[in-house]
Amino acid sequence: MKPLADRIRPERISEVFGQKHILGKNKVLSRMLEYGNVMNMIFYGPPGTGKTTVANIAAKVSDKKFYKLNATNASLADIKNIINDIDRLDSSKGILLYLDEIQNFNKKQQQSLLEFIENGKITLIASTTENPFFYIYNAILSRCSIFQFKPLSNKDIVEGLDRALNILRGDYNEKAISISEGVFELIASLSGGDMRKAIGNLELIVTSYSDLDEIIIDEEVVKNSITEKSVSFNATGDEHYNLLSAFQKSIRGSDPDAAIVYLAMLIKTGDIMSICRRLLVIASEDIGLAYPQAIVIVKACVDSALQIGFPEARIPLSEATLLLATSPKSNTAYMAISKAIKDIESNDIGEIPSYLKDGHYVGSDRLNKVKLYKYPHDYNNSYVEQTYMPSGLKGKKYYNYGNNKMEEATKLYWNKVLGKNI
């Protein structure tokens, strides 16, 4: 018998759970499939969100010969076999190829399809759990419409579980299957937005208790059967970088609660090095001179975390995260170096002033005019006015004081030294 998730698979767009942003009424993908106008498409999103289901529906409404490959185990020979069928009588209206997990095809394998996609003899529907802009050849991308599939809501999954239960009751028609209130919601919450996972868990629970005269599924049974929540937090791939990005932006936005949530999600990936690296970057990029000691404390927390290891490493990582999220913010150091690098890459920087050049060799005074150098510590406040900037960048300004207590105090000090009005 087929797995329950395959038996419950919708056969019409109206039966697909979720994805209303692309499959709702008058949405472009639903209209395309309604009228059988199947074009080259890439479906992008996490597992169990309907990508394969929609591809199967597209195959049914199309009048093309349908082939399905999984790039995990398919080869160039498999593609050639499909290409060889193009001019056969039963393929006269073209071929529809569904290529699952296309990110596992290398550039050569993807390019082998390009000619036939261009002349319309092959219509490609590809699916991937990774960002297509990172993994799919640009020439393929430019010829496909990209549709993003999102994790299903608990409400969507509950609807799917209800439909699945009706099928299971048919399988066990001699037995009563009772579901306590709130059980479907619990299974949905443990599925991580993955319909296939949720239905598989329901099937597992029912099968495990099928030796009983009556199958009663309550919250205790679910918790005993599903040992942990299904999570899609991986240490590699697009979602991992999304988590790191959300983590940094929450700290930058001074939201300690959101930052801790993303830290918890990152901890679940087990990738301690990425967390530590990101915390160290944030300390300089987003807090910077507003609280210069932050990087010292974060470095100590990071070193502690690396020495301790998980699970206890979560504690110093939490300390560092909360410190950064609640610290005053300044990106002046980041902006200054970014502007400077941009200028030296695009402008003629000219000569370094001769008196700033190395003078620790015999005869240097004849070449570099070292004697013209004014030693700042010989002057009041260890400051004397002289040109330090290379000749091509003279007058350029890269550092602007930030609007925070620390940098404002520094600005006040230098305004007094320089005799400026404030």
Side-chain angles (χ1 to χ4, degrees), residues 11 17 20 87 105 117 127 160 181 207 226 240 252 260 264 287 305 356:
E11 296 185 357
F17 300 103
K20 299 303 182 187
D87 293 323
F105 261 12
I117 293 174
S127 66
E181 185 177 351
T207 303
I226 307 174
H240 186 55
R252 181 184 297 150
I260 282 294
I287 283 73
L356 297 183

Side-chain angles (χ1 to χ4, degrees), residues 78-251:
D78 294 312
I79 298 176
K80 289 179 178 178
N81 289 336
I82 294 172
I83 291 171
N84 290 336
D85 278 354
I86 285 178
D87 293 323
R88 290 178 55 177
L89 185 61
D90 59 349
S91 304
S92 60
K93 294 184 178 180
I95 285 173
L96 176 62
L97 171 61
Y98 174 50
L99 184 55
D100 196 12
E101 304 293 347
I102 189 176
Q103 74 273 9
N104 292 306
F105 261 12
N106 59 36
K107 185 175 181 179
K108 184 177 181 180
Q109 289 171 309
Q110 292 185 36
Q111 283 181 312
S112 67
L113 294 167
L114 191 57
E115 174 189 347
F116 304 97
I117 293 174
E118 286 180 331
N119 62 29
K121 292 185 177 180
I122 289 180
T123 299
L124 176 68
I125 299 179
S127 66
T128 176
T129 56
E130 304 292 349
N131 190 326
F133 293 98
F134 294 161
Y135 291 92
I136 299 178
Y137 180 46
N138 284 337
I140 298 284
L141 280 177
S142 67
R143 290 161 175 80
C144 294
S145 297
I146 299 175
F147 295 96
Q148 184 175 6
F149 285 64
K150 299 179 180 180
L152 298 176
S153 68
N154 286 354
K155 181 182 177 183
D156 293 328
I157 292 176
V158 167
E159 291 179 11
L161 290 171
D162 189 57
R163 187 186 299 177
L165 180 61
N166 291 331
I167 295 176
L168 284 172
R169 281 175 169 153
D171 294 340
Y172 297 93
N173 53 16
E174 74 283 4
K175 297 180 182 180
I177 302 177
S178 301
I179 304 291
S180 299
E181 185 177 351
V183 162
F184 280 171
E185 286 77 7
L186 176 59
I187 295 175
S189 69
L190 296 171
S191 71
D194 185 332
M195 180 69 81
R196 187 186 303 113
K197 185 71 174 178
I199 292 172
N201 282 333
L202 177 62
E203 185 176 24
L204 171 67
I205 294 168
V206 172
T207 303
S208 299
Y209 290 88
S210 60
D211 59 322
L212 302 178
D213 293 332
E214 183 180 5
I215 302 172
I216 301 175
I217 303 176
D218 55 22
E219 289 192 7
E220 183 178 356
V221 166
V222 172
K223 290 176 181 178
N224 289 337
S225 302
I226 307 174
T227 55
E228 62 179 34
K229 180 178 179 178
S230 173
V231 292
S232 57
F233 313 139
N234 299 313
T236 59
D238 187 42
E239 280 306 306
H240 186 55
Y241 293 110
N242 286 341
L243 279 181
L244 287 169
S245 177
F247 179 54
Q248 179 164 1
K249 288 172 181 173
S250 296
I251 292 175

